[in-house]
Each structure stands twice: as structure tokens, then as C-alpha cells.
Amino acid sequence: MREVENQVVSEDSIKKYLNDVLLCIKLSNYRIDNNNRQKNRAFQRTYSITNEDYIDLINMLSPTNFSTSTRNYKHGFQNEILYIFKLETQLFNSVTFEYDHVTLYIKTNLIEKPILFCIFISIHIADPQKEFN
């Protein structure tokens, strides 16, 4: 099992994790769960985000974007460790027709068995009221 929740994770471990995430994308072994949460839907609508845009954002991640790890608290999946990243970027706002400087919250779940598979659980604007490592 990967590192325990909120422990210090080495840069090499994060590099390997991101390499595995990118491999999942290359092999089409991934799912973007962008419709399950209000924040995800609002982000997608405001910035007219397509699946290709999500992949572009994920490709921008580096170990310096790592924020924390946490257990999956969903019933039946408590053995999984989720990795959370923050990404600062500029996106075109399809409502205001201007570019916004945004900080994104990206939560991933890399499943190693039976095959390497990645679920992008959340991709949305980070909540400014919540602390973000």
C-alpha cells in the first residue's frame, strides 16, 4: 500500500505516481469523474472544459504540485490512497470572455490491480477557504 495519509511523500515517489498516471492516460486506462460533484460541473461549465483540456491540465502536473495524500473514505474503498495536487494556471472563462488566473484542486486515485487504472475524482477551482499545502 502507498504512503499513509498526510505523511511526507518523497519526490521520487510522486514522480513515479505521476508517470503511472500519464501511462494510464496513454493506455486509455482512466476515467474522469467530472459530473458527480457540483464544483466539478461548475468548473466545466465556466471554462468550457473538454476531456482533452482535462488531459492537458493533468499533463502539466509535476511533483511540486503535490499537496497531500488522504485515505479514500468511500465505503468499500478505504484501502485506497488518494493524491491531491494543486495547479496554478490561466484558463479562458467562457462567461466573462477573459482569462482567469486560477488555482485548481485535482484529486486522483491510482489503482494498481488488476490493471493500472486512474480515476480523476475531482478537478475544480480550489476552495480559498480551505488550507491547501
Side-chain angles (χ1 to χ4, degrees):
M1 179 182 285
R2 289 189 202 91
E3 289 79 10
V4 178
E5 179 173 2
N6 296 321
Q7 283 193 346
V8 175
V9 181
S10 73
E11 184 176 347
D12 286 341
S13 176
I14 299 166
K15 281 180 186 177
K16 180 182 179 338
Y17 185 91
L18 286 172
N19 284 337
D20 287 347
V21 166
L22 295 177
L23 179 60
C24 286
I25 291 170
K26 182 178 179 180
L27 297 173
S28 295
N29 291 347
Y30 69 93
R31 181 176 74 230
I32 300 172
D33 280 350
N34 57 346
N35 289 320
N36 295 338
R37 293 161 188 81
Q38 175 59 30
K39 289 181 182 181
N40 292 340
R41 290 190 306 267
F43 171 68
Q44 186 177 27
R45 279 191 313 270
T46 302
Y47 296 99
S48 298
I49 301 293
T50 65
N51 278 353
E52 291 78 21
D53 295 328
Y54 283 117
I55 298 306
D56 289 344
L57 292 169
I58 293 159
N59 276 312
M60 294 170 63
L61 293 176
S62 73
T64 60
N65 298 113
F66 177 75
S67 177
T68 190
S69 62
T70 187
R71 288 203 181 278
N72 188 342
Y73 290 102
K74 191 171 182 179
H75 181 70
F77 300 94
Q78 294 91 341
N79 64 322
E80 298 173 351
I81 303 295
L82 310 177
Y83 276 38
I84 299 170
F85 297 87
K86 76 174 183 179
L87 177 67
E88 293 190 26
T89 190
Q90 288 203 29
L91 295 174
F92 184 75
N93 186 317
S94 60
V95 176
T96 64
F97 299 104
E98 295 179 1
Y99 280 92
D100 294 342
H101 180 80
V102 296
T103 301
L104 299 180
Y105 173 96
I106 301 172
K107 186 188 296 183
T108 61
N109 184 3
L110 187 63
I111 300 166
E112 296 175 343
K113 294 178 183 178
I115 63 167
L116 194 61
F117 191 85
C118 189
I119 303 170
F120 300 100
I121 297 169
S122 286
I123 301 176
H124 57 73
I125 302 296
D127 185 344
Q129 304 301 327
K130 292 185 179 178
E131 188 174 323
F132 208 5
N133 297 337

